[in-house]
Amino acid sequence: MILFSNAKINIGLLILGKRADGFHDISTALIPIPLNDIIELNLADKSEEEFSMEQSGIIIPGKLEDNLCYKSWNLFSKAAGEIKVKMHLHKCIPVGAGLGGGSSNAVAVLIGLNKLTGNKLSRHDIHHIATQLGSDCTFFIENKPALAEGRGEILSNSPVSLEGFHMLLLNPGISINTAWAYKKVNPNKKREPLHTLLSKPIQTWKTTVSNDFESIVFKAYPEVASLKAELYMAGAIFTSMSGSGSTVYGLFEEEPDLDPGLKKHLLWQGRL
């Protein structure tokens, strides 16, 4: 079974408060984008390991047990019964880039395992497991534009449509630790609701729609801030860092002519 596991971007990201469970209440708009990892997922023979994973493309460091694909298989097996699988992950979405690649991989594996076993688990079961894997995992189940609140798992219809815009993704090759970024952020509830801001014309977003992680990441990594400034100089209508970084995206009416300094950071571009 071949699965395509896509990335997302955040339009606005407000950190509203620290929760009793250690997470933060947030408000953000999530948009799926056609930058994909590729996963090959197959049932393993009885003589093979319970779970094995090969990697190509961008290699994810660390122990297998810490990988979200493994965690997805482990939770699925506990809920539906043990299943032996072997998988190959070809990764194109950078790690620590603010694009949700790990969460997307985990949900793709979860849905793929359910198909391989004849849909043993209900949609409700899949959703429950996804919430255990990560705050933005539930978004990738439906995989459509949404406003995310709570710790990111409460989804509603998005006020945003980017259809027709040309998007650029720039990545400086820096991996941002999300836990580090959250420790640095100062929550603030007393702001105009994000859905209200996003309901206004995109030309107004430059001065009204913000990502609370930008000030933290830009201070620690000025090169990320430079990418945002240069995208505006290139003619972007709106540009922002996605998630906790380090990827910066720009929205344009037409494909821009980028100078070589920006082209070297180009991760993806296309018409939405």
Side-chain angles (χ1 to χ4, degrees):
M1 176 184 288
I2 301 297
L3 307 167
F4 294 93
S5 171
N6 63 277
K8 58 80 182 169
I9 60 163
N10 299 74
I11 302 183
L13 206 173
L14 307 183
I15 313 299
L16 304 176
K18 185 75 176 287
R19 297 156 51 113
D21 61 7
F23 291 95
H24 289 78
D25 280 317
I26 69 168
S27 181
T28 186
L30 300 173
I31 306 288
I33 57 172
L35 169 64
N36 296 300
D37 291 336
I38 305 169
I39 299 171
E40 183 178 2
L41 187 64
N42 293 299
L43 295 174
D45 295 331
K46 291 182 179 180
S47 60
E48 295 181 296
E49 299 175 74
E50 288 183 335
F51 180 91
S52 63
M53 183 174 76
E54 295 180 346
Q55 297 187 58
S56 57
I58 300 169
I59 304 301
I60 303 173
K63 298 178 181 178
L64 178 64
E65 292 77 12
D66 296 328
N67 189 283
L68 279 169
C69 292
Y70 173 87
K71 290 181 178 180
S72 182
W73 165 80
N74 189 39
L75 287 174
F76 181 89
S77 293
K78 288 178 179 179
E82 187 175 296
I83 173 175
K84 287 190 172 187
V85 298
K86 52 185 177 182
M87 65 172 288
H88 185 113
L89 171 62
H90 180 75
K91 195 147 190 67
C92 303
I93 304 170
V95 178
L99 298 173
S103 297
S104 180
N105 293 163
V107 172
V109 169
L110 190 58
I111 293 173
L113 289 172
N114 205 34
K115 289 180 179 177
L116 282 176
T117 56
N119 295 314
K120 279 189 174 182
L121 300 186
S122 68
R123 200 73 169 175
H124 174 79
D125 295 330
I126 295 293
H127 189 278
H128 178 68
I129 293 174
T131 59
Q132 298 175 66
L133 290 166
S135 296
D136 59 356
C137 283
T138 53
F139 164 75
F140 288 104
I141 296 175
E142 297 299 332
N143 210 16
K144 63 182 182 180
L147 187 70
E149 297 175 297
R151 61 183 178 92
E153 86 287 11
I154 302 173
L155 304 176
S156 58
N157 291 334
S158 173
V160 176
S161 173
L162 300 181
E163 186 176 353
F165 285 101
H166 188 90
M167 176 182 284
L168 297 181
L169 296 181
L170 302 181
N171 185 275
I174 298 167
S175 181
I176 304 295
N177 184 290
T178 301
W180 166 83
Y182 268 110
K183 286 179 182 178
K184 297 282 186 179
V185 77
N186 293 314
N188 180 9
K189 290 183 179 180
K190 298 179 180 179
R191 287 179 282 183
E192 191 170 0
L194 181 61
H195 66 84
T196 302
L197 300 175
L198 293 177
S199 297
K200 298 174 182 178
I202 190 173
Q203 289 78 10
T204 68
W205 293 358
K206 182 177 180 178
T207 56
T208 61
V209 177
S210 62
N211 178 338
D212 286 348
F213 287 120
E214 283 191 351
S215 59
I216 296 159
V217 173
F218 288 0
K219 183 177 180 180
Y221 303 99
E223 54 267 54
V224 183
S226 295
L227 292 180
K228 180 175 179 176
E230 290 182 64
L231 281 172
Y232 272 128
M233 290 175 61
I237 301 173
F238 178 72
T239 174
S240 175
M241 189 175 74
S242 183
S244 56
S246 61
T247 301
V248 177
Y249 64 85
L251 298 173
F252 297 80
E253 290 184 343
E254 301 294 337
E255 181 179 349
D257 184 17
L258 294 182
D259 64 49
L262 284 183
K263 281 184 178 178
K264 69 179 181 181
H265 298 299
L266 185 61
L267 178 62
W268 180 87
Q269 68 170 323
R271 182 76 61 179
L272 296 172

